[in-house]
Amino acid sequence: MIPAHPPSRHSYLLKKENTVPGIEVSETSIPGAYRINTSHLPDRRGHFYEAWQFSELLRQAGHRFEIRQVNYSVSRKNTLRGIHGTTIPPGQTKLVTCVRGAAMDVAVDLRVGSPTFGRYDVTLQEASAGIGVYLADGIGHAFLALTDDTCMNYLCGAEYVPGTMIDVQALDPAIGIPWELDGPPITSDKDAAAPTLAEAVERGLLPTYEQALASAEPHPV
């Protein structure tokens, strides 16, 4: 079972989910974004768990995810990264997992024309839990580091192509992500200057829903 988390001011982010042996893939409120829970096997040494399997994501979600690049980010507490996405083409699917510390992890639908365009979904990621979030093309990603030295691991379905990153303002009130900040967040200059969702639409920076669906091309098992 996934270990219980101590109460915190972000405890409202936790959702009760049935745990079963192995890997459980469940779609979030945004189609194309999936939460991956896994069972832990404890013994006197500690515990072991399988964080992800190609066959399980394909079987449970219909996505053929093959890893082409691996990234890590290390952040101080109160660091806010995102909202980041990738143009289509080339696209860049991602499986994001917190491997040290804790983060408020957010998926945002950036697909123009999607029934859930502009909607966000929040996952509390803690290293002890091993929860992962899979993001199909067209789904933006952002997170707030809740501890110092928070390390996030990104498994990417394509190599990054310079000039294809999409940036959207994570503090855009029209999106309304409840970051619950204690003060001004730590951000990059690029993220601080990112356009709002409406500005990104007006500038033609975002992918369409049709482009994202064509890029996904779900495969039957």
Side-chain angles (χ1 to χ4, degrees):
M1 294 178 61
I2 295 174
H5 304 288
S8 71
R9 67 189 184 93
H10 291 275
S11 60
Y12 75 97
L13 300 176
L14 290 169
K15 297 180 181 179
K16 292 184 178 179
E17 295 189 28
N18 296 327
T19 57
V20 296
I23 295 170
E24 179 185 355
V25 180
S26 57
E27 193 166 50
T28 69
S29 62
I30 301 173
Y34 296 83
R35 193 172 291 112
I36 302 175
N37 285 307
T38 184
S39 296
H40 291 221
L41 303 174
D43 63 24
R44 61 178 176 271
R45 301 167 297 177
H47 63 268
F48 172 87
Y49 62 94
E50 296 179 345
W52 167 78
Q53 288 181 358
F54 173 92
S55 59
E56 282 303 298
L57 186 62
L58 179 60
R59 183 180 70 84
Q60 297 188 45
H63 284 261
R64 185 179 296 275
F65 179 58
E66 299 181 0
I67 300 167
R68 294 289 183 265
Q69 182 172 320
V70 180
N71 303 331
Y72 291 90
S73 67
V74 179
S75 304
R76 297 166 54 192
K77 183 178 180 180
N78 209 40
T79 291
L80 179 59
R81 295 181 185 258
I83 305 165
H84 298 152
T86 309
T87 60
I88 305 172
Q92 191 184 51
T93 53
K94 298 183 183 73
L95 174 57
V96 184
T97 308
C98 180
V99 295
R100 186 171 63 243
M104 176 181 167
D105 193 80
V106 183
V108 182
D109 192 344
L110 301 181
R111 303 167 297 186
V112 176
S114 165
T116 54
F117 176 70
R119 182 182 298 177
Y120 66 84
D121 194 279
V122 176
T123 300
L124 175 61
Q125 290 217 36
E126 293 180 305
S128 60
I131 295 173
V133 175
Y134 173 77
L135 305 167
D137 286 335
I139 309 296
H141 177 253
F143 74 86
L144 176 70
L146 303 180
T147 65
D148 280 329
D149 204 32
T150 291
C151 183
M152 303 294 280
N153 169 240
Y154 309 76
L155 304 180
C156 303
E159 295 182 16
Y160 172 66
V161 177
T164 61
M165 179 177 284
I166 296 169
D167 301 300
V168 174
Q169 178 55 247
L171 299 176
D172 183 354
I175 300 175
I177 301 170
W179 293 112
E180 294 192 3
L181 295 165
D182 293 330
I186 303 167
T187 64
S188 68
D189 292 342
K190 184 164 65 73
D191 283 349
T196 65
L197 188 65
E199 289 170 340
V201 172
E202 185 178 355
R203 298 179 194 176
L205 302 177
L206 304 181
T208 67
Y209 189 48
E210 290 74 18
Q211 286 175 319
L213 292 181
S215 176
E217 294 183 353
H219 295 264
V221 178

